[in-house]
Amino acid sequence: MSVLPLVFTSGWASGINAYAVVLLLGIFGATGLTDEVPESLQRTDVLIVAGVLFLCEAVADKIPYVDSVWDSVHTVVRPVAGAVVAALLAGQSGSIPELAAGAVGGTTALLSHFVKAGTRMAINTSPEPFSNIAMSTAEDLGVAGIITFALFNPEVAAIIAAVLLLLGLVILVVLARSIRRFLRRRAQRREERRLAATEARRVPPY
């Protein structure tokens, strides 16, 4: 059976929460629920690191503006993680070349990451924190649900992931104005901090 649907779905999920994907796949493989997961993802040290980083993301991802900084840092991390997980899954099954799987997983992860990061920028234009918490929780549950579903129904899960990715890209285009407003506001705050620091250096101590 081709592992491509699982590769695509894991790539989409990695763009949202790469640590959750590694953690879930590792746990499912280690507990014997599936034989699709390579042993390298089932190692205890990998599971511990993924678990700690998942907890860090779970906290940072729910704090306004901190989530956008976290997303910026993970612009490289998530696509790379998606590509690595995809290549490992392909190597486990042997049904498609690892390089091709890595390209699919990495590209899908990058697109879903842009959707996640852009949506958060739009949400951060609102002053209240509850929308961040709700969105982050929904994303975590979504990743857990679709990765679990993909291990047993990979084709259907891949279709769901593709639809969600397409909808996310459409929403991102719709929210473009809010995202630009967020970026201008962040640039303005950065400039204000720079000017304040410059002014503080000019004022002689008493």
Side-chain angles (χ1 to χ4, degrees):
M1 182 180 65
S2 175
V3 76
L4 185 57
L6 181 58
V7 164
F8 181 86
T9 304
S10 66
W12 173 84
S14 294
I16 297 175
N17 193 326
Y19 305 125
V21 173
V22 173
L23 182 61
L24 286 170
L25 289 176
I27 290 175
F28 289 147
T31 54
L33 292 177
T34 178
D35 57 0
E36 297 288 338
V37 180
E39 291 185 2
S40 55
L41 294 179
Q42 303 177 34
R43 290 169 38 184
T44 302
D45 56 338
V46 172
L47 292 176
I48 291 175
V49 171
V52 171
L53 291 173
F54 169 74
L55 292 176
C56 292
E57 174 144 341
V59 175
D61 206 39
K62 294 175 176 59
I63 304 174
Y65 297 103
V66 173
D67 59 351
S68 290
V69 174
W70 183 268
D71 286 338
S72 297
V73 173
H74 284 74
T75 300
V76 175
V77 175
R78 288 170 183 157
V80 169
V84 170
V85 169
L88 290 173
L89 291 172
Q92 176 78 0
S93 71
S95 60
I96 59 175
E98 295 178 31
L99 183 61
V104 172
T107 301
T108 309
L110 181 62
L111 290 174
S112 63
H113 164 75
F114 282 147
V115 171
K116 173 189 172 76
T119 303
R120 288 309 181 83
M121 288 182 185
I123 290 176
N124 282 333
T125 60
S126 173
E128 46 78 26
F130 304 109
S131 53
N132 297 74
I133 296 173
M135 179 61 73
S136 176
T137 302
E139 289 170 349
D140 292 343
L141 293 176
V143 167
I146 201 165
I147 286 296
T148 303
F149 188 59
L151 290 174
F152 304 101
N153 299 277
E155 290 82 7
V156 178
I159 293 173
I160 295 173
V163 171
L164 290 174
L165 179 59
L166 181 60
L167 287 175
L169 292 172
V170 171
I171 292 172
L172 194 60
V173 172
V174 174
L175 295 176
R177 182 176 299 179
S178 295
I179 294 171
R180 287 194 296 268
R181 186 163 59 246
F182 169 83
L183 292 174
R184 285 197 300 268
R185 186 179 300 174
R186 187 169 66 174
Q188 182 180 2
R189 282 199 302 270
R190 188 178 301 152
E191 180 65 15
E192 289 174 351
R193 286 196 297 268
R194 187 188 68 80
L195 291 175
T198 301
E199 186 65 25
R201 287 194 296 267
R202 290 177 178 175
V203 176
Y206 291 100

